Amino acid sequence: MNAEMAVAKAAGVAVRRAAFWWCVALGAAVVATMAFWPAFRGASGISQAIDSLPQPVIQAFGLQDFGSPAGFLRGNLYELLVPLLFSIAAVALVNGQTASDESAGRMELFLAQAIDRRGLFVARLVACMVALLLIIVTTIVVQVVADALLDVSIQPGYVIATAVLCGLLAALFGSVAYLVACLAARPSLVLAVGIGLLIGGYLVAALFPVAELLKPWAVISPWNWALGGNPLENPTEPWRLAALALTSLVLIVVGTAVVTRRDVTAP
C-alpha cells in the first residue's frame, strides 16, 4: 500500500501543473461567458431571434429559453462546452499518466520497485481523477460566485448538480481512456478512442432526438444520461448519477484486470 501511495503522490505532482491550467481555463471560460449575461438579461429581441431558428437546431445546441438564466447557462456552457472540456481534460490526463508514460519508458523505474502493474496503473488513475475533481470544484466555485455577483436567478443546487453530472461524464470517458491504455500502450489510440467516443456520444445525444426514427436510441449516449434530464431546471434523477458512476467503475475494473495480461512496452 505504501508503494501505491508513493506512486499516486508522484503522479499527482506530475499532473499538478496540467490540472492548474485546466482550472484556469475553465474558470476563465465561465467568467468570460457570464460577463455577457447582463446584456442578455431581459433582451427579448435576442430570445425571439433564437426562437426563430429551426427547432432541430435549437434542440441540438440546447438553446431553449435562451433568455432565461437556466437557458443561458445551458446554451453557453453546460450543454457542450463544460462537459466537453471536462472530458478532454480527463482523457488527456489519463493518457499522459498511462499510455504516454509507458510508451516513453518512464514506467520501468516504478515497475522495478515493490509494486505490481495493477497497483501502478490504479495509482496513476487515482491521481488523474483527483486532478479532475479539482477542476470540477474550481468550476463550481467560479460559477456560483459569478451567479451571485451578477444576480443570476438560479438555484445553486441545480448548478452544482449539473457540474457534477458533467464531471461524472468526464470520468466515464477518462475510464474509457484508461481501459484502452491498459489494453495497449498506444497514446494515439487512447486519444482517438476517448475523444472519438466523446464526440460521437454528443452527436447521438444532440441529433438523434431530431429524427423520430432515431429518437428512442438517444438514450444509448452517456451525454443523454448526464444532461438529458435538463438538470439546470429539474432535480437530478439518481439513476443518471448511478449509470455514469457504475459504467466508469466497470471500465476501470476491466482495464485493471487486462493490464496484467500483456507485457509492458519498452522504448
Side-chain angles (χ1 to χ4, degrees):
M1 182 61 68
N2 289 336
E4 283 81 356
M5 291 296 294
V7 170
K9 183 177 180 180
V13 172
V15 302
R16 182 171 55 192
R17 181 177 296 182
F20 170 78
W21 287 113
W22 274 109
C23 289
V24 171
L26 265 298
V30 170
V31 170
T33 300
M34 297 309 298
F36 289 95
W37 167 245
F40 279 85
R41 180 170 48 199
S44 59
I46 297 176
S47 298
Q48 291 173 0
I50 293 175
D51 291 340
S52 67
L53 295 172
Q55 195 62 30
V57 174
I58 295 176
Q59 292 180 358
F61 292 97
L63 300 177
Q64 305 94 323
D65 301 321
F66 195 74
S68 68
F72 181 83
L73 290 179
R74 181 176 56 247
N76 283 293
L77 289 169
Y78 294 98
E79 185 72 13
L80 176 60
L81 183 64
V82 169
L84 181 67
L85 292 181
F86 278 2
S87 299
I88 291 175
V91 171
L93 289 171
V94 170
N95 183 50
Q97 287 300 305
T98 54
S100 290
D101 265 10
E102 183 180 348
S103 65
R106 290 188 289 266
M107 276 193 180
E108 293 181 355
L109 178 62
F110 293 95
L111 289 171
Q113 301 176 19
I115 181 172
D116 64 16
R117 200 176 306 168
R118 288 175 300 179
L120 175 61
F121 272 75
V122 170
R124 287 179 169 231
L125 175 67
V126 168
C128 294
M129 290 303 175
V130 170
L132 176 62
L133 178 61
L134 178 62
I135 295 168
I136 295 166
V137 171
T138 299
T139 303
I140 290 173
V141 171
V142 173
Q143 183 68 71
V144 171
V145 171
D147 290 349
L149 291 176
L150 295 172
D151 193 26
V152 180
S153 301
I154 189 170
Q155 293 187 34
Y158 285 176
V159 174
I160 294 171
T162 301
V164 169
L165 286 165
C166 292
L168 286 173
L169 179 69
L172 189 153
F173 287 109
S175 301
V176 169
Y178 175 78
L179 173 59
V180 177
C182 288
L183 289 168
R186 296 173 57 186
S188 58
L189 179 63
V190 173
L191 290 176
V193 174
I195 303 301
L197 289 177
L198 170 64
I199 295 174
Y202 171 73
L203 293 177
V204 169
L207 299 181
F208 275 29
V210 175
E212 287 298 324
L213 182 63
L214 298 175
K215 186 175 182 179
W217 294 98
V219 72
I220 67 175
S221 171
W223 286 78
N224 183 277
W225 307 349
L227 303 172
N230 191 10
L232 282 169
E233 297 184 272
N234 302 308
T236 297
E237 299 162 290
W239 74 264
R240 298 183 182 276
L241 300 169
L244 293 166
L246 290 176
T247 303
S248 299
L249 181 60
V250 169
L251 293 170
I252 291 169
V253 169
V254 173
T256 304
V258 301
V259 74
T260 60
R261 299 177 181 273
R262 66 171 177 84
D263 293 329
V264 173
T265 301

